[in-house]
Amino acid sequence: MQAFRNAAKPLMVVVAITFFAWLVLDLSGITGGTGLLTQTSVGKVNGQSIDARTYQNIVQQSIDARQRQSPAAMGLEDYQQVRDEVWDQIVQNSVLDAEYRRRGITVTDDEVVQAIRTSPLPEFRNVPEFQTDSQFDLNKYQRWLTSSVAQQYLPNLEAQYRDELQRVKLLRLVTSDIYLSDAALWEHYRDENETVKIGLTAIVPRNAVPDSAIKVTDAEVAAYYKAHQSDFERPKTAFLSFVALPRMATAADTAAVRARADSVRQEIVNGGPFAEVAQRESADSASAVKGGDLGEWTRGSMDPAFDSAAFSLPLRTVSKPVMSQFGFHLIEITSRKGNKAKGRHILIPIEVTGAHRDQLDAQADTLEQLGAERTDPAALDTVARALKLRIGRAAPVQQGTKVQLGNLVVPDAGVWAFQAKPGATSPVIETSFAYYLFRLDSLHEAGVPPLSEIRSSVVSSVRDDKKWSAARQLAKTYLKRLEDGSSMSQAAGAMKLPHREFGPFSRINPPLTNPVVVGAAFGLKKGDRSGILDTKDGIYVIEVLEQAKADSAKFTKELDQYRARSINTAKQERVRNFLTALRRSAKIVDNRDKVLQQQTGTPPAVPPGV
């Protein structure tokens, strides 16, 4: 019986999935019921209300499951992601359930039983108790289905299979009419196998025309702003100030970590089991659970410093600490042949430690106590003076985007900013490189800002518009040189325009993303030259240098296999488009933020109890 209980462990995942679906369909009210918890709705899908407390319970369960899988603390963006994933699943279940009803798609008990018996879930195939000679044994699995252990999971398992069988039937109906004629298949085959090589001269206005050649007047700016209002519409935007408390390791920290690595190595040299020490000490969690084992890898696939040591160490010898971008490694190579090696390691990361750690902790406490989560705008100035930190200004943050400071992206601040009131300070946001405290200076609602606020952007747009006119004149001059007998490269060189050759390439794998250029390349014959190709991202002239037609005899020989692959691909595309269209056609009302804010009195990104 213990073996069967062990075999049942994969079913816990199934139970969780099915319980989630049950909550969504039976408690939320989207199936037409009243719900068991409350009548308060966080939204509607095709007129059916979604119960707010049930939605929150599902979110909480998803967060709990995620935190059990990963010990890392979740931030505001993580909570927001979970909320959105739960919402998306509710919407998808609802629209699919409505489609099943509309099409009369049902599944019989016999179909469910047959599927469970003959089509085990992938999780079961790797359970040792269901294997014979390292191969999945269907008989063992089927015997387990009759056991008392299995009986407690079967109702949930049946629900999952029933849902999946309905989905399969629906998608089979959706794709049943797909047919590709020989002519259509030849067109696809030709697109994959016909190739060209081209020469291309590019006249990109922003590069081809210098700013000094363009004059912009106030009257032009005002007229352009008035005529292009929609171009300057902006989403809701937050303006933030911040202080940053660096938490980067110093040379003293590095020396302390090196000393720790030396001590760990000495423990192993003195007889400590490498695997046990790795499980206890290594920061590489993926290999630590396997005693530091990295399996086999190829030279060049690891960090250069690690790789160099791994391919020069004597076998079965624990290295001295090797420093890489990840920290210090203790490496033991168990086998090596050519460019392949097998081995294990212990990773000890370089991090703040000792007195520096104590000092940084004290500063972080000050940051928290004096400045975090205040409504007084002066709190940021107070903490900046106390810790002698400079107050910086973040670039404007649009709703739904992340806060970026130079090349660094700061998590959570972009979510917090649109839940806070102007003047408020954020919680302390911890990253691997600093502690941050933000202040919301102002919020600008969505719409078109006044010209005074975006004048520089409008000036830039006017300048770009005039550059396009100048670039079109350059293109005419370039074409005239070609008509007078210059080659493309000669004319480009004389006018200081970029000229390059591309290919050979096919239609489906071009090195250029511009569809007009690619289409022209395959519409011309070898030796032909295009006229001016005036496109959204630039002006181009191309010449076909080489051309290779697709092999029709080879196509005929491979037709049956090619047809099967193409139809399978077409079915996958049809399914994606169908599910997308189904979602878009649904009437969705999303009141989550407003309702949950009213109910909990807390920012909706963090569910109650978290």
Side-chain angles (χ1 to χ4, degrees):
M1 289 304 295
Q2 184 60 44
F4 284 134
R5 290 190 181 94
N6 292 337
K9 290 178 181 178
L11 274 174
M12 297 307 295
V13 176
V14 176
V15 172
I17 294 171
T18 308
F19 181 62
F20 175 86
W22 176 73
L23 279 172
V24 169
L25 294 175
D26 290 318
L27 293 184
S28 67
I30 62 178
T31 57
T34 59
L36 299 178
L37 298 176
T38 178
Q39 295 300 309
T40 305
S41 168
V42 289
K44 294 182 178 181
V45 180
N46 290 329
Q48 297 296 320
S49 294
I50 300 169
D51 181 81
R53 288 180 58 190
T54 301
Y55 168 77
Q56 278 295 82
N57 287 341
I58 300 170
V59 169
Q60 187 65 57
Q61 290 166 13
S62 300
I63 288 171
D64 292 343
R66 184 164 173 172
Q67 289 179 328
R68 284 194 296 270
Q69 293 172 357
S70 174
M74 292 177 63
L76 290 178
E77 289 174 358
D78 298 315
Y79 291 124
Q80 186 69 46
Q81 181 183 18
V82 171
R83 292 179 68 241
D84 291 341
E85 287 172 353
V86 169
W87 175 257
D88 289 341
Q89 187 65 51
I90 289 174
V91 172
Q92 178 174 306
N93 286 352
S94 177
V95 296
L96 284 175
D97 190 59
E99 191 69 8
Y100 300 149
R101 293 195 301 270
R102 187 180 76 82
R103 294 175 179 258
I105 296 174
T106 59
V107 176
T108 67
D109 292 344
D110 287 343
E111 287 175 314
V112 174
V113 170
Q114 181 67 10
I116 293 175
R117 284 182 52 80
T118 60
S119 302
L121 296 171
E123 294 93 332
F124 291 115
R125 295 184 175 275
N126 297 321
V127 174
E129 285 76 7
F130 297 157
Q131 294 184 348
T132 300
D133 297 330
S134 299
Q135 297 294 319
F136 176 74
D137 189 326
L138 184 61
N139 290 328
K140 287 184 176 180
Y141 163 73
Q142 290 178 343
R143 284 197 299 271
W144 176 80
L145 288 175
T146 65
S147 71
S148 59
V149 174
Q151 298 309 304
Q152 58 187 310
Y153 300 112
L154 282 179
N156 297 306
L157 193 59
E158 289 168 4
Q160 184 181 7
Y161 270 87
R162 189 177 300 277
D163 182 68
E164 185 59 29
L165 288 170
Q166 279 186 302
R167 186 186 299 258
V168 168
K169 286 186 176 185
L170 172 62
L171 298 183
R172 188 180 294 137
L173 281 174
V174 169
T175 60
S176 62
D177 64 336
I178 289 179
Y179 169 76
L180 296 177
S181 67
D182 289 357
L185 289 168
W186 165 246
E187 186 175 336
H188 294 166
Y189 185 87
R190 185 194 62 193
D191 290 347
E192 292 176 353
N193 293 277
E194 185 178 357
T195 62
V196 294
K197 180 178 180 180
I198 64 170
L200 177 146
T201 298
I203 306 172
V204 180
R206 66 176 179 274
N207 301 327
V209 183
D211 287 354
S212 58
I214 303 297
K215 304 300 180 185
V216 178
T217 67
D218 290 345
E220 288 172 328
V221 171
Y224 192 94
Y225 173 77
K226 184 177 180 180
H228 297 82
Q229 290 277 298
S230 61
D231 293 349
F232 299 105
E233 191 167 352
R234 299 289 186 267
K236 194 172 184 179
T237 303
F239 293 82
L240 304 172
S241 298
F242 71 96
V243 293
L245 178 61
R247 52 180 306 202
M248 305 299 289
T250 64
D253 295 322
T254 302
V257 174
R258 169 62 193 254
R260 179 184 163 205
D262 285 331
S263 175
V264 171
R265 177 180 183 273
Q266 192 60 48
E267 179 183 351
I268 297 171
V269 170
N270 290 342
F274 191 105
E276 291 181 13
V277 176
Q279 290 174 351
R280 185 187 76 229
E281 298 286 348
S282 183
D284 180 4
S285 57
S287 67
V289 296
K290 299 182 288 186
D293 184 25
L294 292 168
E296 184 178 68
W297 68 91
T298 303
R299 185 195 294 267
S301 61
M302 297 290 195
D303 177 274
F306 185 100
D307 223 31
S308 177
F311 282 90
S312 60
L313 280 171
L315 293 179
R316 305 189 184 283
T317 301
V318 179
S319 72
K320 292 183 178 180
V322 175
M323 186 175 175
S324 78
Q325 61 178 310
F326 304 105
F328 286 104
H329 305 262
L330 302 176
I331 307 169
E332 183 183 47
I333 302 302
T334 54
S335 68
R336 190 168 52 222
K337 185 176 182 181
N339 286 330
K340 302 282 188 179
K342 289 184 178 180
R344 50 188 182 174
H345 84 137
I346 297 171
L347 172 62
I348 302 177
I350 298 173
E351 53 192 5
V352 175
T353 187
H356 186 199
R357 161 67 69 184
D358 295 340
Q359 178 191 24
L360 188 59
D361 286 345
Q363 291 176 315
D365 288 343
T366 300
L367 198 66
E368 177 80 36
Q369 293 165 6
L370 294 184
E373 299 183 274
R374 303 299 180 91
T375 57
D376 180 5
L380 190 72
D381 303 277
T382 299
V383 77
R385 287 193 298 271
L387 295 174
K388 296 181 173 56
L389 298 175
R390 182 181 67 85
I391 296 178
R393 301 286 186 271
V397 184
Q398 295 181 350
Q399 191 165 26
T401 65
K402 296 178 183 292
V403 172
Q404 187 159 347
L405 305 176
N407 293 326
L408 301 176
V409 175
V410 182
D412 298 339
V415 174
W416 166 82
F418 294 94
Q419 300 169 354
K421 294 181 179 179
T425 55
S426 70
V428 174
I429 296 174
E430 180 179 351
T431 71
S432 60
F433 35 84
Y435 293 105
Y436 290 98
L437 188 67
F438 288 87
R439 178 178 64 205
L440 178 60
D441 294 327
S442 62
L443 274 176
H444 289 201
E445 294 299 325
V448 180
L451 177 58
S452 59
E453 287 186 12
I454 57 170
R455 183 178 179 79
S456 61
S457 295
V458 180
V459 169
S460 179
S461 295
V462 174
R463 182 179 292 112
D464 288 345
D465 202 43
K466 298 180 80 169
K467 280 188 175 186
W468 272 94
S469 297
R472 291 185 177 100
Q473 291 302 314
L474 285 176
K476 292 178 181 178
T477 302
Y478 175 77
L479 212 58
K480 181 66 167 59
R481 285 179 177 268
L482 298 183
E483 292 168 354
D484 291 342
S486 294
S487 69
M488 289 182 66
S489 60
Q490 288 170 341
M495 296 180 65
K496 295 183 172 55
L497 297 173
H499 179 83
R500 287 184 58 190
E501 293 183 359
F502 295 91
F505 59 86
S506 69
R507 284 179 184 268
I508 65 167
N509 191 29
L512 303 160
T513 58
N514 191 307
V516 175
V517 173
V518 174
F522 284 92
L524 297 170
K525 297 178 180 178
K526 180 179 178 180
D528 285 353
R529 188 172 61 223
S530 73
I532 295 172
L533 303 176
D534 195 332
T535 76
K536 291 181 178 180
D537 59 10
I539 301 169
Y540 305 95
V541 178
I542 68 170
E543 181 179 20
V544 177
L545 305 176
E546 297 177 9
Q547 192 174 58
K549 298 293 186 180
D551 187 338
S552 59
K554 186 177 180 182
F555 166 74
T556 301
K557 183 179 179 180
E558 299 175 353
L559 180 56
D560 290 341
Q561 297 94 322
Y562 190 75
R563 187 191 307 277
R565 291 197 304 271
S566 298
I567 288 178
N568 186 54
T569 300
K571 285 183 176 181
Q572 294 174 5
E573 182 69 18
R574 172 75 67 82
V575 167
R576 284 193 293 269
N577 292 339
F578 171 76
L579 293 176
T580 300
L582 205 59
R583 172 70 181 257
R584 286 177 178 170
S585 66
K587 296 179 180 179
I588 301 170
V589 178
D590 184 356
N591 291 328
R592 290 178 295 155
D593 286 348
K594 180 173 66 176
V595 172
L596 296 176
Q597 180 86 50
Q598 291 172 350
Q599 285 190 348
T600 66
T602 60
V606 185
V610 175

